[in-house]
Structure formats: structure tokens, C-alpha cells
Amino acid sequence: MPSNTIGFYATVGTHPHEAKELTLAHLERLAELAKHPRVIAYGEIGLDYFYDHFAARGAAARFSRANAVGGQREAPACHSLPRCLGGLHGLAGANWRPTGLGGILHCFTSTLEDAKRGLDMGFLISFAGNSTYPKAQNLRDVAKALPLEKLLIETDSPFLAPQPYRGKRNEPAYVGEVAKAIGSVRNLAAEEVALATAGNFRRFFGLSAGQPARSVTAEPH
């Protein structure tokens, strides 16, 4: 990605489904990629037990190592969540919270209590296309209860297409449907949700509209 690309940023990481393949060499390569001025976070990293792609114990160990690399480079983390909140909070509390860098709990699917625990560790809570589903009122209730300045919206493309497009390939352009769903429970227009969450993103990552990202290559601790 060119360093002067306006409006585009990247994260670097190893998806939880590939955790069993993660080696020290991979982590070192991620650390090198993170030096790019447009790389603003490590992610997606985390624990995803929804599919049995790896043993939980091995995944937890690799998660801890990935967090250690992210902390050394002073880059926030984007964590995945499905069916692993207890383990994630325990590991993040031990390995990530002391860095003070925070991150994003992306595609949030859990409870208000878990969301608040994430906020306590400096994370923003991001809601995806599944928050638009008729049976996902519990997610919309969480989005209603949290401070607006702690929310983000996403699609989780190419999965979890919002309700009007359900069953089709998800696209980033559909994120407006997520804004509508969040706005519907907060008595806000979709445009207001979009402006607020975009501002949250820029503020968290130290960005200004149209300007380059801050460097994530600060001196290690």
C-alpha cells in the first residue's frame, strides 16, 4: 500500500483459524509489516472457537505471543470474539491491558457485561452485519446501553451480510445498514451514527480526515 494513499489503512495479523501455523518467523514478519505508516493495528488476532480449527491451549499460547509483539510495537489490537470471551478477557488482561494500547473487539456478539469489561481494558466495541438480524435484539440492546463514543460499526465482509442482503456475499458498502440498526435503538439517524463512529475511529487511532496515520514504530518498552 502506498504511504500516501488517502483514506485507507491496514492491520496485520494471523487469523485465529490459522493459529496452529503461527511461528516466531511469522511474528517477526508481522513486526516488520507493522512499520508501514499505513498500518495502524495488529489484527485480526484473538481466539475463535466457533470452528474447531485448533486446540484451545495452543491457540491461547499463540495469542499471548502475538499480543507480546503488538505491545512491543505499540500498536492497538483488533480481537475476534466468537465463543471465547472468558479466555480472551483473561489473556488480554494479563498480556495486553498493561500496555495501555487498547484495541477493538470486532464483530461483537456477547453480553453487556463482557462489553463493559472490554471498555475497562481500553477497547472499543464494534458491531457488524449480524446486529441487523431480527433475532439479534440482544446485540442492539448492548449497542444502546454503551456510550456512543465507544462504538464502531463494520460489516465483517464477506460474511454476515446485513438483513436486506442476507444470504449474499457481504460488502463494505453495506455498513450503512449497521448504522441504521444501531440508530434505530438510539433514536439517531444512520448519518449521525456514521459520523459518530467514524470520529471514534479517527480519535482512537490518532487520525485526521485525509491525513496519514500516526506511526506504530515507536521505541519498544
Side-chain angles (χ1 to χ4, degrees), residues 32-217:
E32 287 300 312
L33 291 172
K35 295 178 181 180
H36 193 285
R38 287 278 165 176
V39 172
I40 59 175
Y42 278 85
E44 174 182 358
I45 61 175
L47 303 174
D48 188 343
Y49 300 160
F50 189 84
Y51 299 106
D52 188 20
H53 285 294
F54 51 85
R57 181 175 297 178
R62 291 174 175 87
F63 171 82
S64 296
R65 292 206 301 270
N67 271 341
V69 172
Q72 288 173 356
R73 291 293 177 178
E74 296 194 354
C78 179
H79 289 306
S80 59
L81 296 172
R83 299 186 181 182
C84 64
L85 262 294
L88 177 61
H89 280 306
L91 288 168
N95 297 283
W96 194 254
R97 187 172 188 168
T99 69
L101 295 171
I104 298 169
L105 296 184
H106 110 93
C107 192
F108 190 81
T109 57
S110 193
T111 64
L112 178 59
E113 179 183 7
D114 281 328
K116 288 180 176 178
R117 291 170 68 188
L119 295 183
D120 287 343
M121 287 191 287
F123 285 81
L124 299 185
I125 311 300
S126 185
F127 293 90
N130 55 339
S131 66
T132 68
Y133 300 164
K135 293 183 179 181
Q137 186 60 44
N138 60 311
L139 296 182
R140 293 189 289 275
D141 288 343
V142 174
K144 178 181 179 180
L146 295 176
L148 182 60
E149 64 269 19
K150 299 298 184 180
L151 301 186
L152 295 177
I153 55 175
E154 58 172 297
T155 56
D156 200 32
S157 301
F159 311 108
L160 300 177
Q163 185 63 27
Y165 307 98
R166 200 165 181 180
K168 301 179 181 179
R169 177 187 171 91
N170 200 359
E171 302 289 345
Y174 300 160
V175 71
E177 297 298 328
V178 182
K180 291 179 185 178
I182 303 304
S184 71
V185 295
R186 300 190 66 109
N187 196 30
L188 296 172
E191 291 79 5
E192 293 176 283
V193 175
L195 286 171
T197 53
N200 295 343
F201 176 85
R202 289 193 295 268
R203 182 170 58 254
F204 181 80
F205 287 106
L207 307 174
S208 297
Q211 293 184 354
R214 61 174 172 79
S215 173
V216 295
T217 57

